[in-house]
């Protein structure tokens, strides 16, 4: 005699939730299409038979009272149609075993709906747009040309040269009903009509311009305003400028690629540059012209400035994106050594060398290291 509780691995009197949970686990474990267990098909039928009884409150009460004798003549494992739980909930988990189409098998239609959504609602387009350093800093307007799917101008997206008629496949409902035989019996599912793509109507005579599809691929040119301060890898979203569908359009995403500058480097709103200065300018102090994005600016170099010193010029950086204010510019001074000098310069340097105490300091440092 079969003990249904034992088949499900439960104790007598188990709750409805415990029974349902046990069934789900065992149904997956012994399903003939995925199980490698010995006698999987036989055990699968036993599990289904046990569940079909214990999941029904009336049958469960009779079974608890009279045992298996209460169901003499019961069809057992063939009674799949009496099961009252969510098949899709169970078999959506079978994707772990490589079964990707159970959702559609039980009528969810997810794949069909997604495909329809892309066609009916359009889809997005992504473009790369190259900008110079200055264009990104100050903003600009660019003409962008790209291929876009659009509604047919001749039929206005209907796909018909003249009148529309009711779809003969779905009879105007926009969906197809189909039945499938499964290990659990016959199931009915619903999907988007493949003939009319959910519209319920088709063309009596197809539009020659679009072949009845209602959509055409065309070259499109639009003007795009680039805001000041935009940076590399930022993107702009132009709503409704993507591919058109029958009931809407996707968006156009423009990814900004900023070209490097010959002098400046950028970090957010701040910019950095290096300028060469003469030794005499750092030694004596000087005011020198330096480049900025906004033209020349004067930079005061104090006496005794060392090579590599960084100075900040406030407000000479890049405008903050969609905000007020500018970043700063940072100037790094690099003391240059001439490779060719005149006779006069040489005489002056020789005189400076005699006055310079750097060689004396160096000699003292070496003597200290060597212990002299």
């Amino acid at each position: 005699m079969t003990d249904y509780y034992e088949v499900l691995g439960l104790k007598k009197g188990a709750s409805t939730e415990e029974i349902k949970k046990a069934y789900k686990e065992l149904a997956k474990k012994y399903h003939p299409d995925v199980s490698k267990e010995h006698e999987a098909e036989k055990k699968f039928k036993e599990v289904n038979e046990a569940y079909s009884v214990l999941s029904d409150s009336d049958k469960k009460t009779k079974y608890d009272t009279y045992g298996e004798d209460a169901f003499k003549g019961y069809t057992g494992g063939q009674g799949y149609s009496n099961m009252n739980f969510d098949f899709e909930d169970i078999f959506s988990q079978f994707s772990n075993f490589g079964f990707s189409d159970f959702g559609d098998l039980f009528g969810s239609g997810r794949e069909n709906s997604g495909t329809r959504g892309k066609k009916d609602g359009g889809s997005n387009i992504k473009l790369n747009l190259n900008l110079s350093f200055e264009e990104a800093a100050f903003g600009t307007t660019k003409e962008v040309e790209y291929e876009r799917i659009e509604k047919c101008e001749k039929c206005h997206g209907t796909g018909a040269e003249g009148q529309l008629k009711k779809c003969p496949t779905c009879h105007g409902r926009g969906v197809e009903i189909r039945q499938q035989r499964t290990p659990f019996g016959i199931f009915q599912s619903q999907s988007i009509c493949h003939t009319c793509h959910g519209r319920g109507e088709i063309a009596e005579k197809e539009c020659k311009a679009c072949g009845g599809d209602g959509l055409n691929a065309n070259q499109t040119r639009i003007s795009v305003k680039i805001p000041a301060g935009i940076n590399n890898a930022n993107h702009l979203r132009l709503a409704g400028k993507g591919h058109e569908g029958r009931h809407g359009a996707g968006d156009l995403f423009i990814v900004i690629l900023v070209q490097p500058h010959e002098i400046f480097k950028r970090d957010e709103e701040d910019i950095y540059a290096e300028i060469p200065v003469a030794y005499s300018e750092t030694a004596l102090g000087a005011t020198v012209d330096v480049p900025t994005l906004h033209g020349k600016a004067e930079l005061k170099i104090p006496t005794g400035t060392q090579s590599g010193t960084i100075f900040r010029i406030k407000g000479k950086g890049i405008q903050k994106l969609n905000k007020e204010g500018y970043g700063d510019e940072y100037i790094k001074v690099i003391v240059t050594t001439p490779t060719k000098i005149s006779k006069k310069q040489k005489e002056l340097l020789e005189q400076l060398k005699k006055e310079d105490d750097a060689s004396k300091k160096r000699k003292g440092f070496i003597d200290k290291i060597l212990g002299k």
Side-chain angles (χ1 to χ4, degrees):
M1 179 176 176
T2 304
D3 186 330
Y4 290 150
Y5 286 104
E6 186 178 326
V7 169
L8 297 180
L10 300 171
K11 293 181 180 180
K12 187 174 181 179
S15 68
T16 302
E17 285 302 315
E18 290 174 328
I19 293 169
K20 184 176 180 179
K21 181 180 179 182
Y23 175 77
K24 286 183 178 182
E25 293 176 354
L26 293 172
K28 287 189 292 183
K29 181 178 180 180
Y30 294 121
H31 192 284
D33 290 338
V34 298
S35 179
K36 295 182 180 179
E37 297 283 339
H38 179 61
E39 295 186 330
E41 186 173 356
K42 178 182 177 182
K43 292 179 180 178
F44 183 69
K45 290 181 178 180
E46 291 176 354
V47 167
N48 277 287
E49 181 180 336
Y51 182 79
S52 65
V53 172
L54 297 181
S55 63
D56 185 300
S57 59
D58 291 336
K59 292 177 182 178
K60 180 175 181 295
T61 300
K62 292 178 181 178
Y63 177 76
D64 289 343
T65 304
Y66 303 107
E68 198 174 21
D69 291 338
F71 305 105
K72 292 296 184 180
Y74 176 61
T75 56
Q78 300 303 312
Y80 302 134
S81 60
N82 292 324
M83 299 180 191
N84 57 0
F85 57 94
D86 188 350
F87 283 106
E88 186 177 351
D89 181 41
I90 295 175
F91 287 98
S92 63
Q93 301 176 47
F94 278 158
S95 59
N96 294 330
F97 300 96
F99 289 80
S100 60
D101 58 346
F102 273 101
D104 182 61
L105 176 63
F106 291 99
S108 70
R110 286 193 184 97
E111 184 177 350
N112 287 333
S113 295
T115 304
R116 180 197 178 197
K118 288 182 179 179
K119 197 164 187 178
D120 282 4
S123 58
N124 298 330
I125 300 174
K126 187 184 82 170
L127 295 177
N128 293 334
L129 179 62
N130 291 309
L131 297 179
S132 69
F133 195 91
E134 288 84 359
E135 287 174 331
F138 296 110
T140 185
T141 299
K142 287 283 190 179
E143 292 290 321
V144 176
E145 185 174 351
Y146 62 103
E147 186 175 77
R148 180 187 187 221
I149 295 174
E150 299 174 323
K151 287 183 180 179
C152 175
E153 291 184 0
K154 187 172 182 180
C155 67
H156 305 291
T158 65
E161 194 167 291
Q163 297 295 318
L164 293 169
K165 65 179 181 179
K166 184 184 291 186
C167 175
T169 302
C170 66
H171 306 292
R173 291 175 298 181
V175 294
E176 295 181 66
I177 308 298
R178 47 184 180 147
Q179 291 184 333
Q180 291 175 289
R181 186 177 296 278
T182 76
F184 304 98
I186 297 175
F187 288 86
Q188 183 172 284
S189 64
Q190 179 175 295
S191 60
I192 302 302
C193 177
H194 72 280
T195 303
C196 66
H197 305 291
R199 290 179 292 178
E201 296 178 312
I202 61 172
E204 288 187 356
K205 186 178 181 182
E206 289 186 349
C207 172
K208 295 179 181 178
C210 63
D213 193 52
L215 303 168
N216 281 323
N218 299 315
Q219 285 297 119
T220 303
R221 180 183 289 270
I222 61 173
S223 182
V224 181
K225 186 176 181 180
I226 310 297
I230 200 164
N231 208 346
N232 190 57
N234 287 164
H235 71 266
L236 299 173
R237 173 176 171 266
L238 280 69
K241 296 299 183 181
H243 292 307
E244 281 193 316
R246 296 186 179 93
H247 304 299
D251 300 330
L252 172 63
F253 290 87
I254 298 179
V255 180
I256 301 300
L257 302 177
V258 181
Q259 302 305 303
H261 195 275
E262 185 179 357
I263 298 174
F264 301 117
K265 294 184 185 300
R266 177 176 178 177
D267 182 11
E268 299 298 336
E269 294 88 22
D270 297 328
I271 60 173
Y272 294 79
E274 295 181 356
I275 62 165
V277 293
Y279 170 72
S280 59
E281 291 175 317
T282 58
L284 301 174
T287 298
V288 299
D289 288 336
V290 294
T292 76
L293 284 173
H294 309 275
K296 289 183 181 180
E298 289 187 342
L299 176 65
K300 186 176 181 179
I301 300 177
T303 301
T305 294
Q306 301 299 304
S307 183
T309 301
I310 297 175
F311 296 92
R312 183 179 72 159
I313 307 177
K314 292 190 66 175
K316 293 298 183 181
I318 293 174
Q319 182 177 332
K320 296 177 182 179
L321 183 62
N322 299 324
K323 297 179 182 178
E324 293 184 359
Y326 290 79
D328 302 325
E329 179 172 347
Y330 292 86
I331 299 289
K332 184 177 183 179
V333 296
I334 304 297
V335 178
T336 59
T337 302
T339 55
K340 294 181 180 180
I341 56 176
S342 65
K343 183 178 179 181
K344 179 65 174 178
Q345 288 174 321
K346 186 174 182 180
E347 291 174 353
L348 292 172
L349 288 172
E350 288 289 349
Q351 184 64 32
L352 178 61
K353 183 179 178 180
K354 292 176 182 180
E355 300 293 332
D356 198 344
D357 61 352
S359 60
K360 296 176 183 178
K361 289 181 180 179
R362 185 170 58 254
K363 184 178 184 303
F365 175 75
I366 293 173
D367 289 346
K368 184 177 179 180
I369 295 297
L370 298 178
K372 294 183 180 179

